[in-house]
Amino acid sequence: MKKIILISTLLITAISPSLFAKKGFGADLTVSLGAGIGFFHGDTNKYPNGGFEFGVYLKPNYYFEFSALSFGLSLEVGYQRDAFAYKNEKLKGDSTFDSLALGFIPKIDVLFLSIGFGGGVKLPLGGNSSFIDVYGGKRLEKYGYSELKENFGNVLIIPYIKASVDFMLLPNIALGIYAAYDIPVMKYPSDNYNQSANTNVTFSSFDIGGQITLRF
């Protein structure tokens, strides 16, 4: 057993610098799948609920190599679908947005781990709102860019912060987890099911999920 542990340790020590240390320019392609839990501030009629989200990102980066780790400066540009979901005793509803995401995520690579933290903005280009009431009735409202501005205001921006941890499986493949918080700078439209509802509602979302990354 001691020999096996010793050999494994030597192998990891020998291969880890060549597999996981990075230096210079590169790029990552990341696909993420997760859930967004919506929060609606200023409206006691909406309780947090979860909705499906996903994204595809290209991340150009530059790494500085040090003795025990690599430090990377990484941009992220991609497509993101976010969900801001809620529920109450009458219905379940959500608003989803299809956005162009632009962010900056510095990273530290240590052996098998790549740890990132940063943020950016998402620029919604379209989306929809859906409602399901307790009687089974459904309604879907689809938005193009002009409809988004009519319903959510002229300022269509979703700032976000994000943290991620990736586990390196092969020299160019990683599996990881992420957590993010979205804080839209957008007004939320009045509730069609409750016209007397507060129209000064703000909303946000806590996102968590998994991701797979190809590194080049």
Side-chain angles (χ1 to χ4, degrees):
M1 178 62 70
K2 290 182 178 180
K3 289 182 178 180
I4 294 175
I5 295 175
L6 178 60
I7 292 172
S8 299
T9 302
L10 291 174
L11 285 173
I12 292 173
T13 303
I15 67 175
S16 59
S18 61
L19 285 181
F20 308 119
K22 295 188 68 176
K23 182 179 180 180
F25 289 101
D28 299 346
L29 180 63
T30 298
V31 177
S32 61
L33 299 172
I37 302 172
F39 300 94
F40 293 79
H41 315 282
D43 189 343
T44 57
N45 194 45
K46 291 181 172 65
Y47 303 102
N49 199 18
F52 174 72
E53 67 168 37
F54 65 94
V56 181
Y57 291 89
L58 178 65
K59 303 177 180 180
N61 51 60
Y62 186 87
Y63 274 86
F64 301 89
E65 185 179 1
F66 298 94
S67 57
L69 56 84
S70 296
F71 175 71
L73 300 176
S74 179
L75 301 175
E76 63 174 21
V77 181
Y79 161 79
Q80 177 70 39
R81 163 160 282 203
D82 287 307
F84 298 82
Y86 67 89
K87 61 182 179 180
N88 56 37
E89 64 279 2
K90 296 181 179 180
L91 58 87
K92 292 182 179 179
D94 65 48
S95 292
T96 61
F97 301 102
D98 299 304
S99 302
L100 171 65
L102 304 170
F104 177 64
I105 311 290
K107 294 182 178 181
I108 295 177
D109 287 11
V110 181
L111 294 179
F112 296 91
L113 295 179
S114 181
I115 303 168
F117 181 81
V121 294
K122 302 169 189 176
L123 307 174
L125 303 176
N128 63 69
S129 290
S130 62
F131 309 90
I132 303 176
D133 62 34
V134 293
Y135 304 105
K138 300 179 180 180
R139 193 173 87 246
L140 177 66
E141 299 176 357
K142 295 185 178 181
Y143 308 124
Y145 186 73
S146 60
E147 287 82 10
L148 280 180
K149 296 182 72 173
E150 291 175 3
N151 286 273
F152 294 90
N154 291 323
V155 182
L156 299 177
I157 300 175
I158 305 176
Y160 69 93
I161 56 174
K162 180 189 291 186
S164 64
V165 179
D166 291 307
F167 302 87
M168 309 301 297
L169 302 181
L170 294 171
N172 63 337
I173 298 178
L175 289 179
I177 56 176
Y178 72 91
Y181 193 66
D182 300 330
I183 315 169
V185 184
M186 299 156 61
K187 70 176 185 179
Y188 198 80
S190 60
D191 191 339
N192 292 326
Y193 285 87
N194 182 9
Q195 295 296 335
S196 63
N198 183 0
T199 57
N200 295 317
V201 176
T202 59
F203 59 111
S204 62
S205 176
F206 175 71
D207 309 329
I208 188 167
Q211 59 188 23
I212 182 170
T213 298
L214 299 179
R215 309 185 81 180
F216 303 97

